Amino acid sequence: MNVEKRIFFGFKFTPAQLIGTYYFIAITVSTILLSLPFAHQEGVDLSFIDVLFTGVSAISVTGLTVINTAETFNTVGIIILMLILQVGGIGVMTLGTFIWVIFGKRLG
């Protein structure tokens, strides 16, 4: 069984690798954004594992947290969290379809 590989940023990916790469990048970016100091309430110190869990939970749209969101994040942090939830909710298929249409490909 020969799986067609797609070229993405100069690398060849199978569809499964492309989806895995998308989620890895999304989780990394969400963890970095949620760990920035301007996203927290004053005096709140979060561990890396708490921020990572919150980011992964937001990307996977489960909404689980081990922290109190209202007491931990300020307005900027909550907006970042909402955007991360939206990116996770859009999903790979919707994003892929959007990119497919931008490049002028036909949808079958």
Side-chain angles (χ1 to χ4, degrees):
M1 185 163 131
N2 189 7
V3 177
E4 181 182 334
K5 294 190 175 197
R6 302 195 187 277
I7 297 176
F8 188 67
F9 288 113
F11 298 101
K12 291 183 179 182
F13 289 104
T14 63
Q17 289 172 331
L18 196 58
I19 291 170
T21 303
Y22 166 78
Y23 276 108
F24 176 76
I25 291 170
I27 288 168
T28 303
V29 169
S30 67
T31 302
I32 290 170
L33 288 175
L34 289 175
S35 66
L36 294 174
F38 63 81
H40 302 152
Q41 297 279 3
E42 288 233 8
V44 173
D45 189 29
L46 282 174
S47 68
F48 174 74
I49 196 72
D50 289 341
V51 174
L52 178 67
F53 184 85
T54 304
V56 170
S57 175
I59 285 295
S60 63
V61 197
T62 59
L64 300 173
T65 60
V66 292
I67 55 173
N68 186 335
T69 306
E71 293 176 1
T72 304
F73 296 109
N74 59 16
T75 305
V76 174
I78 291 174
I79 290 171
I80 290 171
L81 199 55
M82 288 188 318
L83 290 173
I84 293 168
L85 281 162
Q86 287 299 317
V87 168
I90 288 172
V92 176
M93 294 306 290
T94 305
L95 185 62
T97 304
F98 179 69
I99 292 171
W100 197 259
V101 170
I102 285 177
F103 286 122
K105 305 288 184 174
R106 284 195 62 201
L107 296 175

